[in-house]
Amino acid sequence: MKKPALSDEILLKIEKPARYIGNEINIVRKDPAQAAIRFAMCFPDVYEIGMSHLGMKILYEMFNRREDVYCERVFSPWIDLHKIMKEKNIPLFALESQEPIIQFDFLGITLQYEMCYTNILQILDLAQIPFMAADRTDDMPIVIGGGPCAYNPEPIADFFDLFYIGEGEVSYDALFDSYKQAKADGKSRREFLLEASKIPGIYVPCLYEVKYNPDGTIFSMEPIAPQAPKKVKKQIVMDLSGAVYPKKPVIPYIKITQDRLVLEIMRGCIRGCRFCQAGQIYRPTREKELSVLKRYADEMIKSSGYDEISLTSLSSSDYSKLEELIRYLIDQYKDKGVNISLPSLRVDAFSLDVMSKVQDIRKSSLTFAPEAGSQRMRDIINKGLTQEDILHGAGLAFEGGWQKVKLYFMLGLPFETEEDMRAIAELANQIAARYYEIPKELRNGKCQITISTSFFVPKPFTPFQWAQMHDKDEYLRRAKIVNDSVKEQLNKKSLKYNWHEADVTVLEGIFARGDRRLSKAIQYAYEDGALFDSWSEFYDDERWQQAFLKAGIDVCFYTTRKRAEDEVFPWDFIDDGVSKQYLLAEWMRAKEGRTTKNCRMQCSGCGARQFGGGVCFENQD
């Protein structure tokens, strides 16, 4: 075992030292000196969250299958260790080799959530890599970002050498081969970046120039090098069954957020909810073959020792072979102490029958995500769920023995009225009333319904990318309306209401649709102490307001401002396969309260047919 980069004295002073020592079960061990390319795979959050991320596990497996690449992991040090590393000038290190990140060829940072942006600067700072890509020398790692937030990389573009747009299984081999060739030819960092820009899905920010209109909106964004494409096209895996998958995942020594095996059954979603970015950028929907999933489940359970396996996708109920898969897993493992976790299921008779076999009904709760309280709002967001569907599903659940229900809604959606807000509490009350229709002797105790509202954030590549946000006070005003309405309901003793932090929502919205001018504010906030902003105990809104003021940023420009239908967005240079014309048409349909059928029922002409596959092609000429 490699000697830890941290001394015993330091490890004894910090919380959960197992976050930093590596050497977990199933880690990949290679001789760093024999690797042509060393890649540090980074999740810019604490170890327990990063180790729960499936995408990172897939790329770790894929990269290490190459004999010439050694991929290692690195996460954000927690606050206690961060302070010690700064005081003692200890460089950030990778878990596998315990060697400094600055010695690597690549630092790859996964971008899952906008509120981790200051953690990106923490990683660079502790690794002793300059914040600005323009300040890095030829001997420093190439910093590359990927993941959902890379679909608008502009607020953090100045910090990255490259971005990978799309699913990582496609173009990384070409990138590595190009890097090896550039090293062999003695090319400079700049020369490699020029070559990399020719690879599909690779975006090199320094090769593009942004020009602005007098009102601050974008006039144009054009490549300044002939190698760089005008449009960067997302990369997507069409054959999921043949794609790389981690069948021997790394097993942590401490409990992580998702402490179970994860079996990905499909990518994409047929539903077309207008607020959902994932439902658009992962189009078309692609399924894994049933035989492959059965084999993977068997191999993963044998190699890991886990006693729980979770089926993951955006909408698991839409997987065409779901019933066969679940029956197989139950028959194969129920008597062997292996639990089956079933997120993203619609609550219907089949799902409840299955869940009754794999859950302790008295301890567990069911989750519904109506997203909006009124049918009018559910039609506006294209949720595809009626009040009858919700009450029927709740009734089946209650009759099946459940009495705990979690309800998830959004506040601040486009075209929302006070009546729509109050409808959230009214729907929850109706669900509770449905429970009390069951004879008392057949109930499982008191009904417990937890209502949670997050505040709506418009995301790029969705029909709602044109929508206005609200400020903090307006979000809180809407939450108060819901809270007051909950107190007015007949079944109020069975209802509990929680809401998300409004100031965090506003910041997320600024970054979600932001441009390159925001990078200075992010740097100022980090230098003033901003870190782990997604953790409520560390978030300081006043710190961010000061950073925006120092950077000359008008917050309202990115949040409450109206956006013209023909406005050039910071992310318009990316081709995600879904046309802007389609998104605009869906925005218009939302204004009219008109719904759009799901992809299995009817093609909506979004543009994803160009990829040549997926369930959107079923039953079509």
Side-chain angles (χ1 to χ4, degrees), residues 5 93 185 200 229 235 258 318 328 368 432 454 491 502 514:
F93 53 90
D185 295 342
Q235 300 302 290
Q258 303 293 329
D318 293 319
Y328 171 82
F368 292 82
S454 61
N491 295 295

Side-chain angles (χ1 to χ4, degrees), residues 271 273 346 375 378-379 381-386 389 595:
R271 295 290 153 182
C273 297
R346 286 194 298 275
Q375 192 59 51
R378 286 194 294 275
D379 289 345
I381 66 178
N382 205 44
K383 181 63 182 176
L385 194 64
T386 66
D389 294 332
T595 59

Side-chain angles (χ1 to χ4, degrees), residues 403-516:
Q403 91 278 11
K404 299 176 185 177
V405 173
K406 295 178 181 178
L407 299 174
Y408 289 100
F409 298 91
M410 281 185 287
L411 273 176
L413 284 161
F415 321 118
E416 182 182 65
T417 66
E418 184 168 326
E419 185 178 350
D420 298 317
M421 301 171 213
R422 293 185 178 279
I424 291 173
E426 291 162 5
L427 178 59
N429 182 68
Q430 287 177 296
I431 292 172
R434 177 67 184 84
Y435 179 78
Y436 292 114
E437 291 174 4
I438 299 172
K440 190 171 184 179
E441 64 273 14
L442 300 179
R443 296 178 203 157
N444 242 350
K446 182 183 175 182
C447 177
Q448 301 173 46
I449 296 180
T450 302
I451 308 162
S452 295
T453 58
S454 61
F455 296 117
F456 166 68
V457 175
K459 296 283 185 171
F461 295 107
T462 69
F464 287 173
Q465 63 184 356
W466 284 274
Q468 290 176 267
M469 285 187 69
H470 302 289
D471 60 24
K472 172 184 175 180
D473 291 341
E474 176 58 21
Y475 279 130
L476 292 176
R477 184 187 75 84
R478 294 179 183 229
K480 185 177 186 303
I481 289 172
V482 176
N483 193 42
D484 290 345
S485 186
V486 167
K487 295 175 182 178
E488 296 167 0
Q489 301 305 312
L490 183 63
N491 295 295
K492 60 186 177 183
K493 290 185 178 179
S494 295
L495 309 181
K496 180 183 178 183
Y497 177 47
N498 304 312
W499 60 92
H500 189 57
E501 297 96 336
D503 45 13
V504 173
T505 298
V506 173
L507 184 61
E508 180 185 345
I510 293 169
F511 293 149
R513 293 188 294 178
D515 53 45
R516 291 192 186 187

